[in-house]
Amino acid sequence: MAPFPLELGLGILFFGVSSENVTYCILWKCLPQMKNFFSQNISYIENLYSLWREDPAALEPDWQDFFSSLADQQEDIPSVPATSLRDQTSEGSSALFREKQAAVQSLIDRFRESGHFLADVDPLSPPPDSHPGLDLGIFGLGEDDLQKTFNPRQFPRKEASLQEIRTILEETYCRSIGVEYMHIQDEKERNWLQERIETSRNQSEFSKKEKIGILRKLKEAVLFEKFLHQKFLGQKRFSLEGGEVVIPFLDALVQEAGQGGVREIVLGMAHRGRLNVLANIFGKPLEEIFAEFRDNIELGIIGEGDVKYHKGFSSDMATHSGHKVHLTMASNPSHLECVAPVVEGKTRAKQDFIGPGSGRQVIPVVLHGDAAFAGQGIVAETLNLSQLEGYRTGGTLHVILNNQIGFTTLSKDARSTPHATDLAKMLMVPIFHINGEDPEAAVHVCRLALEYRQKFGRDVIVDIVCFRRHGHNEGDEPAFTQPLMYEKIRQRPLVDDLYAQRLVADGITEKQSHFLTEQISTTLEKAFKNEQVQLDIAFRGKWKYVERDYRPLEIRTGVPGERLERYAQKLAQLPAGFAPHPKIRKLLSARKKAILQDQDIDWATAETLAFAALLHDGFPIRLSGQDSRRGTFSQRHAALYDVKDGSSYLPLSSVEARGSHFQVYDSILSEAAVLGFEYGYSIETPHGLTIWEAQFGDFANGAQVIIDQFLASSQTKWNQLSNLVLFLPHGFEGQGGEHSSARIERFLQLCADENIQVAYPSTPAQLFHLLRRQMKQPFRRPLIVFTPKSLLRHPLCRSRREELENSRFQEILVDDFAQEKTRTVLFCSGKIFYELLEKKTELQRHETAIVRFEQFYPLRSDLLEFELRKMAAVDNFFWVQEEPRNMGGWSFMRPHLEDLLKQKVVYIGRPEAASPATGSHRIHRREQEQLVEAAFSL
């Protein structure tokens, strides 16, 4: 028989070799005609094997490789003696039995893939009786095969009847836990999970003490909600009722974490169940929670405060192991999933502070709603961060509180996938589905999920399928839109009663259960009677020595010349053998020369010097964004790359001192998740400079929720400060409506109560001092910096070394004002100054002075008033901007200027527009020329 090509043998997956015989495990996934072909050619393959054993060179190279590779794997493949095969196939040939053996293996693998479809995970509906992909018939098996003995590969039983195999599979994959893991491509992870799941049949044995502990946590959750409903009837609380099993789940997580040496858990969640988690997991004093319902702690509220189910909290919880675990609950607005990247950023900052090995010591946990997890894009963005160098946190435990509804929208209208979790398969991580009325299953999965996370450093998804006993809130009537669903819910008993009844068989009596109820109820009543509550509002930990209130300060931020020269030398020095791009080598040389020879210093050089000086002072720096290593406009080059081997080098690492560290990362193509991450990082790093840079300032609107709900309002809502800096490239240069404006007006609309700082520096020296001031101030506030594009290389946008040595950031710059001759004053900010300056010089308009506002907010009214007093003799005041009239700084600055001047200020600029800028370079140039001309013709 002539040899046939190996590619025709794709139907053969396993070829086991023993010393006495050849055994086969054939995966019949080929076409029917291929199945017949291999059934008829078993003897041929056996002959080929014999030839290979005698002389491998006698076979085609493909067949040599095939037999060699499978022979190497023989220890993993069960060997079934040929005589045994023939003995068991009295009704047919040994080839038929080998086909049955392969079919059984396929059945096992199919249960691993699809068994979760038959799992009993929905408390409101019975599980399906069958699944078409799991019927014996599709594998060529029948009832007459149930008592036959097979030898499955990588299975808890090396030899078992088909009936026993199917029972094991159903108990493992089709009870209260459904699991998806076969999509994981890493074989070690997949096999590890498979071994853990199948050897235990995916369940844990609990001691009587452990079961009572689970019952206690269930009762705490149930009775807490009952108590709030009775005492504060009609108030919104977004109860956990129907999903109380999450409390023993989280309690188990804390206990297991303490046992494993975890130092901290950072948790983020939306409003549903938040109060219950705070009370029964975080140990937030019940008196404080009740006082928030009574709304009688006004004297302890800083700023405007927030609703009780948005607030964060932290505590140290003792565990049974004796170790304490610090728990942090991140504050969160009603934009449900936006807290997820914030949690990741907080976690990464804590891990960076601890140092090597911290990925196992600080664990991020995020609780999601099913509709939000499937529906909100920031979820996918956050998942995508999980394994990236600049953003990974060693794996996140994602817990979905699956109410099977979102407000009034059912799952069938909320997603296009079978499960709410399907999005997470992009990460190739395990997904567990749990029946929300089986607390032991929840605790079992919790332990397994934590073990997996700690071993592999990857995310885990836990889907707790439950229900929402009330409507979206306690005053909502869900039966208007889901009458059938809510009739089922109305009939469901409380989960603690269900579990208590289950425990009777284990010797835990109703009397013991009743005792727990009385004990918990007494605790709630006692706390309710204590109405004297003092809220602790002091900053703690790293924030302990940070001042709360903003105050204008003139902070000297200059750096001695000898230090600048030393930085220049170090930043230009490359590691031995490192070969950067020739243009980069030239750039480094030019920067060094500018400092050493006191030449003009450009924007990127001043920024680098500011970073170097802060690092030398002991302040760590983290910069991230799209293209931040190189810079959108090829100006920064914070990371250099060897042209021969692609290795990288950070020149700023050469000036790190006293624990400081420079990090710079190119982010994913996302604004919302990355800005959320950096915000989270900043609130854990008060003594570090954290910067997020937009590719173009316009793109910040992709993260508007983070800006509005966290950055601008976190202090007044949650007493939470941030030191985050935003770099937003801004400037009108004919690049259209999406590459021109960082939306100055939107940030100015958010300004109140000294909540943020908004600056538009116009010189390299001003940027240098602004960044240094950000860290030298005794208080902390977010800083919005509108950065240049064309000015990066503009010959007039340069500073001298002495401006970095002897000055400070100046909120207002007055150019060429003289009381005896100035008759016209042009107010402006940013890039337009240089165009006005060039026109003024061209026209020799010495009677015109230009006033630049380098900081819009907080507006230094004291400095402005001081300068305006000198301008009493000035006849004309104009505000000049390149942004349209309804944008830019005009609407914000106008009332301040006119109030101090007691006269009108004339606007010069583009008219109101729906889009910030034209896409025509010709039209842009004409508009720009007209507004500059107008400034000197009125």
Side-chain angles (χ1 to χ4, degrees):
M1 182 183 294
F4 59 87
L6 177 59
E7 51 264 31
L8 291 181
L10 292 179
I12 300 179
L13 182 63
F14 302 112
F15 193 97
V17 182
S18 69
S19 59
E20 299 178 354
N21 56 67
V22 179
T23 61
Y24 308 98
C25 184
I26 302 174
L27 183 63
W28 298 99
K29 290 188 177 180
C30 45
L31 297 173
Q33 58 267 35
M34 295 296 288
K35 291 173 64 176
N36 294 332
F37 177 83
F38 284 107
S39 297
Q40 299 164 10
N41 285 277
I42 292 295
S43 59
Y44 170 73
I45 297 175
E46 190 169 14
N47 290 335
L48 288 180
Y49 171 70
S50 298
L51 288 174
W52 174 79
R53 293 193 64 178
E54 295 174 5
D55 180 13
L59 299 184
E60 296 289 332
D62 284 349
W63 280 109
Q64 294 178 38
D65 294 341
F66 177 70
F67 288 123
S68 296
S69 64
L70 291 176
D72 291 341
Q73 301 174 25
Q74 69 179 34
E75 293 182 1
D76 296 329
I77 301 172
S79 176
V80 183
T83 56
S84 173
L85 291 176
R86 293 188 183 99
D87 290 343
Q88 296 186 62
T89 55
S90 57
E91 75 277 12
S93 67
S94 62
L96 177 60
F97 184 81
R98 286 193 291 270
E99 181 176 349
K100 297 279 188 179
Q101 177 77 29
V104 170
Q105 194 66 47
S106 295
L107 174 69
I108 292 171
D109 288 337
R110 185 66 61 82
F111 261 92
R112 291 165 177 165
E113 291 175 357
S114 303
H116 62 92
F117 287 117
L118 290 181
D120 183 12
V121 296
D122 184 357
L124 300 180
S125 302
D129 293 328
S130 62
H131 185 276
L134 297 172
D135 290 341
L136 292 178
I138 70 167
F139 300 97
L141 299 169
E143 296 296 322
D144 55 339
D145 295 311
L146 290 176
Q147 302 308 316
K148 294 177 182 177
T149 301
F150 296 91
N151 300 83
R153 189 179 64 90
Q154 292 183 334
F155 195 69
R157 298 275 296 275
K158 297 299 182 184
E159 182 176 281
S161 69
L162 177 57
Q163 180 66 63
E164 291 171 324
I165 291 171
R166 189 167 70 169
T167 299
I168 291 172
L169 292 170
E170 288 173 345
E171 290 181 352
T172 301
Y173 294 104
C174 303
R175 289 195 289 187
S176 294
I177 302 170
V179 58
E180 299 179 80
Y181 67 98
M182 293 298 284
H183 57 279
I184 299 174
Q185 293 186 4
D186 188 295
E187 188 174 0
K188 289 182 179 178
E189 292 182 35
R190 195 172 61 248
N191 289 342
W192 184 91
L193 284 162
Q194 184 174 298
E195 188 273 334
R196 290 293 192 282
I197 291 167
E198 294 184 350
T199 55
S200 68
R201 302 202 185 179
N202 214 9
Q203 63 178 341
S204 296
E205 292 295 329
F206 294 94
S207 67
K208 185 175 180 180
K209 182 179 179 181
E210 288 175 320
K211 292 180 179 181
I212 292 175
I214 292 172
L215 180 60
R216 170 179 285 277
K217 297 311 291 185
L218 278 178
K219 285 191 171 293
E220 286 177 355
V222 170
L223 294 172
F224 176 79
E225 298 294 354
K226 276 187 177 181
F227 191 85
L228 291 181
H229 180 69
Q230 293 167 359
K231 300 297 184 181
F232 305 103
L233 187 63
Q235 284 206 45
K236 287 184 182 181
R237 65 183 191 273
F238 295 98
S239 82
L240 188 58
E241 292 169 271
E244 295 96 338
V245 76
V246 79
I247 297 301
F249 178 95
L250 292 175
D251 180 67
L253 175 65
V254 174
Q255 297 301 329
E256 291 297 311
Q259 180 72 31
V262 172
R263 294 171 55 167
E264 186 163 357
I265 294 173
V266 182
L267 189 143
M269 65 182 296
H271 44 274
R272 183 158 314 283
R274 189 185 189 93
L275 297 178
N276 208 313
V277 171
L278 286 172
N280 294 312
I281 299 299
F282 281 70
K284 182 175 181 178
L286 294 169
E287 293 85 350
E288 287 188 21
I289 296 174
F290 297 156
E292 290 170 340
F293 275 93
R294 293 189 181 104
D295 205 16
N296 66 353
I297 53 173
E298 294 90 343
L299 296 180
I301 293 178
I302 298 297
E304 299 164 1
D306 200 355
V307 292
K308 48 193 169 289
Y309 37 79
H310 286 174
K311 296 177 182 178
F313 190 75
S314 64
S315 61
D316 292 311
M317 298 302 294
T319 63
H320 301 324
S321 65
H323 293 94
K324 285 188 175 181
V325 178
H326 185 73
L327 305 180
T328 299
M329 170 80 82
S331 299
N332 188 39
S334 286
H335 295 73
L336 305 177
E337 294 295 335
C338 289
V339 76
V342 175
V343 165
E344 302 297 340
K346 282 173 66 72
T347 302
R348 176 59 179 263
K350 290 173 180 289
Q351 292 174 348
D352 285 351
F353 182 78
I354 295 171
S358 58
R360 292 171 54 86
Q361 297 180 50
V362 186
I363 299 177
V365 179
V366 184
L367 267 64
H368 310 265
D370 53 312
F373 190 84
Q376 296 196 359
I378 198 170
V379 174
E381 294 181 20
T382 304
L383 293 174
N384 195 28
L385 296 175
S386 68
Q387 294 300 310
L388 301 181
E389 177 191 4
Y391 308 91
R392 60 185 172 220
T393 54
T396 300
L397 182 56
H398 294 276
V399 182
I400 298 175
L401 197 61
N402 190 341
N403 295 315
Q404 309 185 64
I405 194 171
F407 208 146
T408 64
T409 304
L410 289 173
S411 300
K412 66 182 181 63
D413 299 315
R415 62 177 185 264
S416 298
T417 58
H419 297 301
T421 56
D422 288 333
L423 169 70
K425 288 182 178 178
M426 64 186 277
L427 293 184
M428 291 174 287
V429 296
I431 299 171
F432 298 94
H433 307 280
I434 309 171
N435 188 309
E437 290 184 340
D438 189 342
E440 290 186 10
V443 173
H444 168 77
V445 168
C446 174
R447 294 172 175 175
L448 180 58
L450 180 61
E451 186 182 4
Y452 172 87
R453 188 267 180 196
Q454 295 295 77
K455 182 174 181 63
F456 296 105
R458 295 175 61 79
D459 292 15
V460 186
I461 314 297
V462 178
D463 177 24
I464 300 178
V465 184
C466 52
F467 53 84
R468 190 186 65 195
R469 194 168 287 277
H470 303 291
H472 179 66
N473 60 63
E474 289 67 33
D476 191 34
E477 177 49 78
F480 288 158
T481 50
Q482 281 81 35
L484 300 182
M485 179 183 192
Y486 271 85
E487 178 58 26
K488 290 182 180 179
I489 291 173
R490 189 184 64 80
Q491 296 177 17
R492 294 306 301 165
L494 295 174
V495 66
D496 63 322
D497 290 339
L498 284 172
Y499 189 57
Q501 293 168 12
R502 174 176 165 185
L503 294 184
V504 171
D506 298 321
I508 299 171
T509 66
E510 291 184 10
K511 184 178 179 179
Q512 289 173 291
S513 176
H514 183 69
F515 174 77
L516 290 177
T517 300
E518 291 297 318
Q519 194 178 53
I520 296 166
S521 298
T522 299
T523 300
L524 291 166
E525 287 288 354
K526 183 179 178 180
F528 182 76
K529 292 176 182 178
N530 182 12
E531 297 188 20
Q532 301 301 317
V533 178
Q534 181 61 47
L535 187 64
D536 185 0
I537 58 173
F539 289 153
R540 298 186 179 278
K542 306 184 192 79
W543 290 92
K544 186 174 182 179
Y545 300 106
V546 175
E547 293 183 10
R548 182 187 309 280
D549 298 325
Y550 168 89
R551 52 195 172 99
L553 297 171
E554 296 184 1
I555 299 174
R556 306 299 299 183
T557 49
V559 175
E562 57 271 20
R563 277 181 60 183
L564 295 175
E565 291 181 3
R566 189 160 63 249
Y567 302 151
Q569 297 279 8
K570 286 190 174 183
L571 293 170
Q573 185 175 352
L574 300 174
F578 189 87
H581 192 282
K583 290 183 178 180
I584 298 300
R585 188 183 294 276
K586 183 178 179 181
L587 174 68
L588 296 176
S589 177
R591 289 180 177 178
K592 174 181 173 181
K593 182 178 178 181
I595 299 165
L596 298 182
Q597 299 183 13
D598 194 17
Q599 297 177 356
D600 288 342
I601 295 173
D602 65 13
W603 193 274
T605 303
E607 177 192 85
T608 302
L609 290 172
F611 289 164
L614 288 171
L615 290 166
H616 185 263
D617 289 340
F619 296 106
I621 298 173
R622 176 185 168 92
L623 166 63
S624 91
Q626 296 160 23
D627 313 308
S628 287
R629 287 180 171 132
R630 188 202 71 172
T632 300
F633 312 101
S634 194
Q635 84 281 6
R636 178 175 293 122
H637 299 288
L640 309 181
Y641 299 90
D642 192 301
V643 296
K644 293 184 293 186
D645 60 18
S647 61
S648 62
Y649 171 65
L650 304 181
L652 281 164
S653 65
S654 66
V655 296
E656 296 171 352
R658 291 187 291 174
S660 67
H661 182 54
F662 179 71
Q663 303 177 70
V664 58
Y665 299 106
D666 291 336
S667 76
I668 63 172
L669 199 65
S670 155
E671 286 77 36
V674 178
L675 180 55
F677 184 100
E678 302 304 339
Y679 170 81
Y681 197 97
S682 74
I683 60 179
E684 288 296 331
T685 318
H687 303 296
L689 183 64
T690 307
I691 305 172
W692 175 72
E693 181 175 52
Q695 189 178 58
F696 285 85
D698 317 59
F699 300 165
N701 59 14
Q704 199 65 49
V705 171
I706 304 297
I707 294 167
D708 292 348
Q709 303 299 333
F710 291 93
L711 199 66
S713 57
S714 63
Q715 182 179 3
T716 191
K717 291 193 297 186
W718 308 318
N719 191 31
Q720 186 174 83
L721 300 180
S722 168
N723 200 35
L724 183 61
V725 178
L726 271 59
F727 279 177
L728 306 177
H730 175 90
F732 284 56
E733 290 142 357
Q735 293 185 313
E738 281 72 55
H739 295 84
S740 300
S741 175
R743 297 290 188 172
I744 293 173
E745 66 283 353
R746 291 184 180 172
F747 287 96
L748 294 178
Q749 288 173 344
L750 294 172
C751 294
D753 301 322
E754 289 84 34
N755 60 331
I756 58 177
Q757 305 163 101
V758 182
Y760 194 176
S762 60
T763 72
Q766 282 284 85
L767 175 71
F768 176 89
H769 293 295
L770 180 63
L771 294 176
R772 301 247 318 139
R773 186 190 74 170
Q774 181 71 357
M775 298 312 302
K776 296 291 185 179
Q777 295 172 147
F779 54 85
R780 293 290 180 261
R781 292 293 187 279
L783 171 63
I784 314 301
V785 184
F786 301 109
T787 56
K789 296 178 290 182
S790 62
L791 292 188
L792 294 170
R793 295 174 176 82
H794 197 293
L796 294 179
C797 187
R798 296 289 186 269
S799 297
R800 307 292 294 191
R801 196 177 83 176
E802 62 178 333
E803 296 179 66
L804 277 57
E805 296 174 356
N806 305 315
S807 187
R808 63 173 183 84
F809 180 74
Q810 299 178 68
E811 292 86 346
I812 300 173
L813 293 176
V814 180
D815 179 76
D816 199 23
F817 173 79
Q819 286 183 314
E820 64 279 3
K821 67 177 182 179
T822 300
R823 292 296 172 264
T824 299
V825 171
L826 304 178
F827 298 115
C828 69
S829 187
K831 179 179 77 71
I832 194 67
F833 163 75
Y834 291 98
E835 295 171 69
L836 295 173
L837 179 62
E838 289 178 303
K839 179 60 69 172
K840 174 186 171 180
T841 303
E842 175 190 335
L843 299 176
Q844 297 293 303
R845 296 291 291 272
H846 303 297
E847 77 286 0
T848 299
I850 305 176
V851 177
R852 279 174 279 174
F853 287 92
E854 301 284 290
Q855 178 174 297
F856 282 113
Y857 192 82
L859 181 64
R860 288 295 302 270
S861 298
D862 55 333
L863 299 180
L864 178 57
E865 185 174 6
F866 175 78
E867 296 294 342
L868 293 182
R869 280 202 195 114
K870 298 186 237 178
M871 301 178 181
V874 172
D875 300 320
N876 302 301
F877 292 93
F878 300 96
W879 176 268
V880 186
Q881 66 177 37
E882 55 184 358
E883 300 86 3
R885 187 185 185 105
N886 57 325
M887 303 177 194
W890 165 242
S891 297
F892 177 83
M893 291 300 303
R894 180 182 183 182
H896 294 286
L897 292 171
E898 293 184 348
D899 182 59
L900 290 172
L901 288 168
K902 309 303 180 186
Q903 69 177 77
K904 294 292 185 182
V905 176
V906 178
Y907 169 82
I908 297 175
R910 289 177 168 84
E912 292 180 349
S915 175
T918 176
S920 165
H921 189 74
R922 176 182 58 82
I923 295 175
H924 160 77
R925 188 170 60 250
R926 185 183 68 208
E927 292 175 345
Q928 202 79 356
E929 290 171 353
Q930 288 174 349
L931 72 88
V932 172
E933 289 283 354
F936 293 95
S937 60
L938 295 177

